[in-house]
Amino acid sequence: MSLLEKIFQYFSGKPEEKIYKKYNPIVQTINAFEPNIQALTDQELKEKTNLFKEKLAQGHSLESLLPEAFAVVREASKRLLGMRHFDVQLIGGMVLHEGQIAQMRTGEGKTLVATLPAYLNALEGKGVYVVTVNDYLAKRDSEWMGQIFRFLGLTVGLIQNNMPSTERIKAYQADITYGTNNEFGFDYLRDNLAWQYSDCCQVRRHFAIIDEVDSILIDEARTPLIISGSVKESTSQYANIAKIVKKLKKDQDFTIDEKHKNIVLTDAGISEVEKLLDIQDIYSIKNMDMAHMVIQCLKASFLYKKDVEYVVKDGEVLIVDEFTGRILQGRRYSDGLHQAIEAIEGLKIQNENQTLASVTLQNYFRMFPKLAGMTGTADTEAVEFSTIYGLAIALIPTHRPMVRKDFPDVVYKTKEEKYKAVVNEVEQSYKTGQPILVGTVSIETSEYLAAKLKKKNIPCHVLNAKYHAKEAEIISRAGQKGSVTIATNMAGRGTDIVLGEGVNDLGGLYVLGTERHESRRIDNQLRGRSGRQGDPGKSKFFVSLEDELLRLFGSERIAKIMTTLGLPDDTPIEHALISNSIQKAQTKVERYYFSIRKQVLQYDDVLNKQRETIYRMRHQILSKEQMDDLIKELLEDHIRYLSKMAVFEGQKILNIEDIQSRLSDIFPVPELKEGLVKISQKSEFQSQLQPILLNAYLSKKKMYPDGLFEEAVTRRVLLSTLDRHWMEHLHTMDLLRDGIGLRAWGQKDPLLEYKKEAFYLFSELLYFISEEAFKYIFRAVITITQEVESKG
């Protein structure tokens, strides 16, 4: 915290105190309802839901119902779960209802807090989504907290990976639906690939409450959700190129930029690759794909590490979430990187994929009229939450004072000395019986430490992406006497570590971090595992100058201090000055990644406006029984586009033959020629041509039984044409996005250039969709066959 921030806080009071003062009057109102609510029978308590709905129908606001509704939920929770919401949890519930982020420390009962705004907002019948980070938590919370909602007469749905579509649709029809951010996002995309409106499940998006909101809206915001289909292009070249890049020498043939995860071939490297591949110019248009594969294979070899960024399991490369240590099921690296890793690992190389639909989590969740979130650590990203999502952060007071001791970092010169110290520290804790949770940044480190402890006969539980299925079980035992748990980052997040018998007397849970993460927030999450609900505990980070963060972003200053003092390698430094230097390095990285996420969003915003237009059109095609208005609208746009081709001299169209040829190619309607002759200025195109074309379409419809032509031809043709052209457009936009950065060499703003190009390409896209669709629709003939009943 800066000096200015400390001065401001001194005069304005702690943020938690201000929040308490603001909401305490409403808390007292809720508490005043308690005696009367307690006196109700179960049936009378259940009937409150219908009474609230009636009041809403009469014009009452949710805010006016809040105190009594919260009191009803608290009483239901007490009767069913034996859990009564604390006053601070009521404050958290109000903050969520107002569409803010409630920052609550670990163990303060965020899961229970969410029941308050979820119940209140579900009364409107518009649906509430409760978003969690994994399927286990979604299932647990829907069953555990779902008891409250079901008791009070509301329905609860659960979205899980690979569940049947009929169950999925039913889950979305519930008053409150639990699921993961990925499932909600992918369902949005799947709905926009559906061919029948009845197959769409996410037909309403109103209020979303996001648990671990920082993990979902910050950590995962850099990676868009993509539904892709296999492309039949050959991937055999990757295996050959993987062998070639292993012959290249670092610094001589290529240079590595670890900070930005980029690799560039040197002139010598280009010559070597051309010689090995037996080609003339690797950067010619003909060989561009080859150049791209070389760079991707180099990245796979030198920038992406096994058991850090990915694991290999059953012959597959599975991506590991760098922030949670969990496997990202169903995700593949794009742009050929996944194929490159498969080649480097000597695995079967899967086909490359073509994007069918994509959306960033940022733009998906910004679609909700009302959004709220919960987490233990969000204040370090307050600017991003405010800038991107318009979400304010409210620091909720703790139910009991925090007594955990957070020690300064211990810094070693080398990783080897650091790990020796970590093992010794774990051994000391194990001997005293104090439970210890060791946090690691990678799977590789977690298994390395586990092996070291095994040699010393210290039993430990390892929690990383390879043991994901045992996550809740392992983390729940981490607070027992003598327990040693090693976990990657925040694996096990969402499950409280409850202290076992006698552990309080031993000092509570000891959290030991083996490396500083690039984000302070991730370190704070690890620390937050200890000291829940006023429990004792302590935390300390062991770092070395060889750690990724310090090596790339800030070890020079610390190294000078250690060299000046002339300390041996195995002598650590433990001082607040060191911790501050590390925090500055983290702040630098956080700003860098924020700029990346902001840039990703700026580019995706351009595509998002196009996506919204296409999906709106698609929704109209699927949901409308009568397509006449949509056809009329498409004809208007199409004629407006064609009118731009007209060249006038006075009141005469000079290129009338060209326009006539273009029109007749699309619309086989004889009356068009006569209508075109009557046009004396561009403004008359619409008035002269649209009625002719619309009447021709309506006449074609009347040739068949009611609704047959629309269902069998119009709807199908429009959907297939729109989908095919949109997929091609996404591919074009990917290529544009990849190459637009080169415009900076010409002193042009790449983002501005991208917007210009994107606008032109989208205008062309809409024209080509309607042109192709109308060609089919106006020429379609339906053959109706009748079954002849055989006699005799």
Side-chain angles (χ1 to χ4, degrees):
M1 187 183 291
S2 68
L3 179 62
L4 189 63
E5 287 173 322
K6 287 178 180 176
I7 294 169
F8 176 78
Q9 191 180 92
Y10 177 81
F11 286 106
S12 62
K14 289 184 178 179
E16 294 96 329
E17 291 174 359
K18 291 175 71 177
I19 291 292
Y20 186 81
K21 286 178 183 177
K22 178 182 176 181
Y23 291 100
N24 189 49
I26 310 173
V27 169
Q28 297 310 316
T29 306
I30 297 168
N31 290 341
F33 274 104
E34 192 163 27
N36 292 331
I37 298 293
Q38 279 179 332
L40 298 176
T41 65
D42 282 359
Q43 187 56 40
E44 288 170 335
L45 190 61
K46 292 176 183 180
E47 286 170 1
K48 282 290 183 182
T49 299
N50 288 330
L51 290 173
F52 291 144
K53 287 182 178 180
E54 286 172 15
K55 285 186 178 181
L56 284 173
Q58 292 164 8
H60 290 257
S61 67
L62 287 177
E63 284 66 29
S64 66
L65 301 179
L66 186 149
E68 189 176 3
F70 275 28
V72 164
V73 174
R74 179 159 69 178
E75 182 61 26
S77 175
K78 195 168 69 173
R79 293 185 190 185
L80 294 163
L81 309 178
M83 300 166 72
R84 179 185 176 276
H85 297 74
F86 304 132
D87 286 358
V88 291
Q89 290 176 315
L90 298 177
I91 293 174
M94 285 183 267
V95 165
L96 293 176
H97 168 66
E98 290 175 0
Q100 299 182 63
I101 292 173
Q103 177 165 315
M104 304 178 71
R105 291 187 185 271
T106 301
E108 290 292 306
K110 294 190 289 291
T111 306
L112 188 63
V113 168
T115 59
L116 299 163
Y119 172 78
L120 179 64
N121 285 268
L123 295 171
E124 289 188 309
K126 296 177 182 177
V128 174
Y129 297 169
V130 182
V131 188
T132 64
V133 291
N134 61 46
D135 274 349
Y136 164 74
L137 290 176
K139 188 172 189 296
R140 183 200 71 177
D141 294 352
S142 70
E143 292 171 353
W144 187 23
M145 298 296 130
Q147 295 176 67
I148 298 171
F149 303 129
R150 293 185 185 97
F151 174 82
L152 292 172
L154 297 180
T155 54
V156 180
L158 171 65
I159 306 299
Q160 295 275 275
N161 188 29
N162 295 324
M163 73 188 302
S165 59
T166 50
E167 290 181 28
R168 196 175 286 267
I169 291 169
K170 188 179 177 183
Y172 275 106
Q173 291 169 346
D175 295 309
I176 297 162
T177 307
Y178 284 84
T180 66
N181 51 297
N182 286 346
E183 286 303 310
F184 283 124
F186 280 128
D187 281 340
Y188 162 72
L189 294 177
R190 281 189 282 260
D191 281 355
N192 287 289
L193 292 171
W195 271 61
Q196 290 184 358
Y197 187 70
S198 58
D199 291 336
C200 296
C201 53
Q202 206 175 96
V203 294
R204 57 182 183 179
R205 279 182 299 277
H206 176 60
F207 180 35
I209 302 171
I210 306 175
D211 194 9
E212 309 297 2
V213 66
D214 52 337
S215 174
I216 291 170
L217 294 189
I218 303 289
D219 299 339
E220 298 199 32
R222 275 187 279 166
T223 309
L225 301 177
I226 297 173
I227 291 180
S228 53
S230 183
V231 178
K232 293 181 181 176
E233 293 175 5
S234 171
T235 54
S236 58
Q237 283 286 5
Y238 279 104
N240 181 39
I241 290 172
K243 293 174 186 173
I244 286 171
V245 299
K246 288 176 181 177
K247 298 176 182 178
L248 301 180
K249 295 170 185 169
K250 183 183 172 186
D251 297 329
Q252 178 182 309
D253 296 321
F254 61 90
T255 58
I256 299 175
D257 180 356
E258 288 187 77
K259 286 185 184 180
H260 302 95
K261 283 213 165 186
N262 196 24
I263 287 181
V264 177
L265 286 171
T266 62
D267 289 341
I270 292 170
S271 300
E272 183 67 13
V273 168
E274 286 172 349
K275 185 177 87 175
L276 292 169
L277 288 172
D278 193 22
I279 55 177
Q280 291 294 323
D281 181 4
I282 194 170
Y283 285 110
S284 66
I285 293 174
K286 184 174 76 172
N287 296 322
M288 277 296 283
D289 284 348
M290 207 74 77
H292 177 71
M293 288 184 193
V294 169
I295 296 298
Q296 294 301 68
C297 284
L298 282 169
K299 284 182 179 180
S301 295
F302 295 96
L303 289 176
Y304 287 79
K305 298 169 189 168
K306 184 179 175 181
D307 288 341
V308 179
E309 277 86 7
Y310 67 90
V311 295
V312 175
K313 190 176 180 183
D314 300 329
E316 281 188 84
V317 172
L318 303 173
I319 303 173
V320 174
D321 186 330
E322 64 173 301
F323 295 100
T324 65
R326 296 188 178 98
I327 287 174
L328 296 174
Q329 293 291 348
R331 296 266 195 106
R332 285 177 66 82
Y333 291 116
S334 60
D335 215 19
L337 179 59
H338 215 95
Q339 285 76 15
I341 294 173
E342 287 168 338
I344 294 295
E345 291 289 344
L347 305 170
K348 181 184 176 183
I349 302 168
Q350 306 294 326
N351 284 335
E352 289 197 59
N353 293 323
Q354 177 182 345
T355 300
L356 306 181
S358 73
V359 69
T360 59
L361 287 171
Q362 293 160 311
N363 271 322
Y364 172 70
F365 282 110
R366 292 201 304 179
M367 292 178 196
F368 287 79
K370 190 171 178 179
L371 188 65
M374 307 177 289
T375 181
T377 47
D379 54 333
T380 56
E381 315 291 349
V383 173
E384 184 164 355
F385 278 119
S386 176
T387 306
I388 305 296
Y389 303 101
L391 288 169
I393 297 169
L395 274 65
I396 311 300
T398 55
H399 178 55
R400 294 192 180 97
M402 167 66 70
V403 294
R404 184 189 68 231
K405 294 177 182 177
D406 298 326
F407 292 91
D409 296 2
V410 184
V411 183
Y412 291 83
K413 277 189 177 180
T414 66
K415 279 188 178 182
E416 186 183 355
E417 293 300 332
K418 177 186 73 173
Y419 290 138
K420 275 184 192 174
V422 167
V423 171
N424 289 335
E425 190 81 0
V426 172
E427 187 177 20
Q428 291 304 314
S429 285
Y430 178 67
K431 284 177 180 177
T432 64
Q434 182 177 26
I436 186 166
L437 173 65
V438 181
T440 68
V441 171
S442 68
I443 297 168
E444 186 180 39
T445 305
S446 68
E447 296 187 340
Y448 171 81
L449 287 173
K452 289 280 187 186
L453 292 172
K454 190 177 180 181
K455 285 181 181 177
K456 286 183 170 271
N457 295 315
I458 299 173
C460 66
H461 299 288
V462 179
L463 179 55
N464 58 38
K466 293 184 178 179
Y467 307 101
H468 174 68
K470 299 177 182 177
E471 181 172 307
E473 181 191 346
I474 292 172
I475 210 72
S476 66
R477 293 202 304 260
Q480 300 302 308
K481 189 174 181 180
S483 175
V484 177
T485 309
I486 302 175
T488 47
N489 284 333
M490 279 315 300
R493 190 172 175 177
T495 306
D496 276 350
I497 299 177
V498 181
L499 298 184
E501 189 177 343
V503 174
N504 274 17
D505 298 331
L506 294 170
L509 178 67
Y510 180 6
V511 167
L512 189 159
T514 60
E515 191 172 334
R516 281 288 194 167
H517 196 273
E518 290 173 342
S519 168
R520 287 171 294 166
R521 196 165 32 79
I522 306 300
D523 292 341
N524 291 340
Q525 286 161 9
L526 178 62
R527 272 203 164 115
R529 307 304 297 186
S530 176
R532 64 181 289 280
Q533 288 285 333
D535 286 342
K538 68 176 182 177
S539 71
K540 188 187 289 187
F541 279 85
F542 285 61
V543 298
S544 84
L545 299 185
E546 294 178 346
D547 291 348
E548 199 90 340
L549 175 73
L550 294 182
R551 187 171 59 81
L552 296 178
F553 293 98
S555 62
E556 298 90 353
R557 189 179 174 193
I558 302 168
K560 282 177 184 175
I561 296 170
M562 296 185 86
T563 305
T564 304
L565 294 172
L567 297 173
D569 286 357
D570 60 351
T571 303
I573 290 184
E574 187 174 346
H575 197 278
L577 176 68
I578 303 294
S579 298
N580 290 336
S581 296
I582 292 169
Q583 284 200 2
K584 283 178 183 176
Q586 289 175 308
T587 305
K588 196 189 300 181
V589 182
E590 285 166 3
R591 285 176 186 154
Y592 167 67
Y593 282 129
F594 175 34
S595 69
I596 288 179
R597 289 190 293 268
K598 194 173 179 181
Q599 187 182 55
V600 166
L601 185 62
Q602 285 174 327
Y603 279 91
D604 192 62
D605 278 344
V606 178
L607 188 60
N608 195 52
K609 291 198 180 345
Q610 299 180 358
R611 183 190 297 117
E612 286 174 354
T613 302
I614 291 294
Y615 286 177
R616 196 182 305 117
M617 189 187 300
R618 212 177 182 285
H619 181 77
Q620 286 178 301
I621 296 168
L622 283 177
S623 61
K624 284 193 174 184
E625 288 186 23
Q626 292 290 325
M627 307 281 288
D628 298 355
D629 289 344
L630 181 58
I631 292 294
K632 183 180 178 182
E633 188 182 318
L634 290 173
L635 285 171
E636 281 177 8
D637 292 341
H638 198 78
I639 294 166
R640 193 180 297 115
Y641 188 93
L642 281 172
S643 70
K644 294 176 184 176
M645 295 169 53
V647 180
F648 279 84
E649 186 179 83
Q651 295 184 338
K652 185 181 178 184
I653 303 174
L654 294 180
N655 59 338
I656 193 166
E657 289 85 3
D658 291 341
I659 295 174
Q660 169 63 31
S661 172
R662 190 74 173 259
L663 280 167
S664 59
D665 183 49
I666 303 166
F667 307 99
V669 180
E671 295 86 351
L672 273 177
K673 187 174 183 179
E674 185 181 337
L676 197 59
V677 173
K678 293 178 182 178
I679 296 171
S680 60
Q681 50 190 343
K682 284 196 177 185
S683 60
E684 293 179 356
F685 262 84
Q686 213 74 49
S687 59
Q688 292 296 328
L689 300 184
Q690 186 180 325
I692 296 170
L693 292 172
L694 187 59
N695 287 333
Y697 171 75
L698 295 173
S699 299
K700 198 165 186 65
K701 266 180 58 178
K702 288 175 183 175
M703 294 166 59
Y704 303 99
D706 190 36
L708 178 63
F709 189 79
E710 282 187 319
E711 200 57 48
V713 177
T714 310
R715 203 182 307 276
R716 288 175 179 273
V717 168
L718 281 172
L719 276 179
S720 61
T721 309
L722 184 143
D723 285 351
R724 186 170 64 258
H725 280 283
W726 175 241
M727 280 183 259
E728 290 170 1
H729 179 73
L730 288 175
H731 180 61
T732 304
M733 292 293 283
D734 282 344
L735 295 175
L736 176 65
R737 174 76 178 86
D738 288 342
I740 204 74
L742 296 173
R743 304 277 178 99
W745 290 94
Q747 304 301 310
K748 292 181 179 179
D749 180 353
L751 180 60
L752 191 60
E753 291 294 302
Y754 181 76
K755 287 179 178 178
K756 287 178 185 175
E757 295 279 359
F759 177 79
Y760 169 76
L761 288 168
F762 192 63
S763 301
E764 293 277 294
L765 169 74
L766 295 176
Y767 174 76
F768 290 136
I769 288 170
S770 58
E771 179 185 65
E772 186 177 320
F774 285 139
K775 276 183 182 179
Y776 284 109
I777 289 169
F778 276 80
R779 287 172 172 79
V781 176
I782 301 175
T783 304
I784 301 174
T785 58
Q786 293 182 334
E787 290 186 11
V788 180
E789 188 179 344
S790 60
K791 295 183 180 179

